[in-house]
Amino acid sequence: MVDFAGEWRDEADPSISQGASVTAGELSAEQQRIAFLHDRLAVERAAAQAGLDAALTDGHEQRWHREVAVRRLSEQVSRLKLADENLCFGRIDVDGDRVYVGRIGLFDTDHDYEPLLTDWRAPAARPFYTATAANPEGVTLRRHFRTRGRRLESFHDDELQLTSKALLDALAHPARTPCATSWPPSRPSRTR
């Protein structure tokens, strides 16, 4: 796990293959990406708030048009405010592309609505939850972020490549795995 609370450190998480290492450049890039996503969220929130303010002061619209606009924009502002905490909580590398997963979807309107952040409920985010080493679904890396506001506090990686050293070792020596040593469970000497 990589923890940003104090100074940068690179600790080996026992669940991560020992071949995985995190560089200072990766840490900086992830922190910049999360800050960028928060900036993008702030822009969207400000635009929604401006639209809400305009709808509230518009006396030219028919009353029901205005009420519909106010309700829609109020919900949008609330949704964007709630998304600020733990905005981006993970990333998957799928077929060479990085897909960031978070509380809401954010899109780059200048580049044909390219996804910047994928909503956790979207089908494109499904592999973040369902990919395993046995069935990686095209995912080579799953990264979990722990954030506080705009600050990336820590992250850890799940390597899902079948060529990872840890997986090959587990397959080569199944008796060393915790499941192999605890199954089948021991039975009491007498049953009732």
Side-chain angles (χ1 to χ4, degrees):
M1 180 181 332
V2 180
D3 191 348
F4 293 105
E7 61 184 55
W8 177 78
R9 65 178 204 235
D10 184 1
E11 288 184 3
D13 184 329
S15 66
I16 299 174
S17 138
Q18 294 301 318
S21 67
V22 177
T23 65
E26 278 184 280
L27 300 176
S28 176
E30 296 295 11
Q31 177 61 54
Q32 288 174 6
R33 178 65 178 209
I34 288 174
F36 167 75
L37 292 171
H38 276 276
D39 290 344
R40 192 65 181 210
L41 177 67
V43 167
E44 288 197 22
R45 190 173 43 239
Q49 186 64 52
L52 177 60
D53 293 344
L56 287 170
T57 59
D58 188 6
H60 294 43
E61 284 287 327
Q62 290 182 358
R63 183 174 181 193
W64 69 273
H65 281 282
R66 192 180 89 162
E67 287 177 4
V68 168
V70 166
R71 181 178 176 147
R72 182 183 56 81
L73 290 166
S74 294
E75 289 172 356
Q76 184 178 5
V77 168
S78 295
R79 182 179 60 88
L80 293 171
K81 283 181 181 178
L82 288 173
D84 206 26
E85 187 60 36
N86 206 12
L87 174 63
C88 178
F89 50 79
R91 180 189 108 194
I92 52 177
D93 294 356
V94 183
D95 301 325
D97 292 328
R98 289 184 174 179
V99 178
Y100 286 85
V101 180
R103 293 184 66 144
I104 64 168
L106 295 174
F107 301 92
D108 187 351
T109 55
D110 297 332
H111 294 97
D112 202 24
Y113 288 88
E114 181 73 25
L116 300 172
L117 181 65
T118 302
D119 189 312
W120 67 275
R121 297 161 288 203
R126 182 179 180 274
F128 183 79
Y129 303 102
T130 61
T132 64
N135 182 18
E137 300 183 36
V139 176
T140 56
L141 177 86
R142 176 176 38 227
R143 182 167 280 176
H144 301 268
F145 298 125
R146 191 179 67 172
T147 60
R148 185 172 307 235
R150 295 173 158 261
R151 183 169 165 73
L152 177 61
E153 292 193 338
S154 65
F155 68 80
H156 72 275
D157 293 340
D158 300 330
E159 290 186 40
L160 300 176
Q161 294 178 331
L162 289 176
T163 58
S164 90
K165 185 180 180 315
L167 179 60
L168 293 174
D169 286 345
L171 292 172
H173 306 289
R176 293 183 191 168
T177 63
C179 289
T181 58
S182 64
W183 185 262
S186 60
R187 293 180 175 236
S189 58
R190 59 179 204 190
T191 58
R192 294 183 184 200

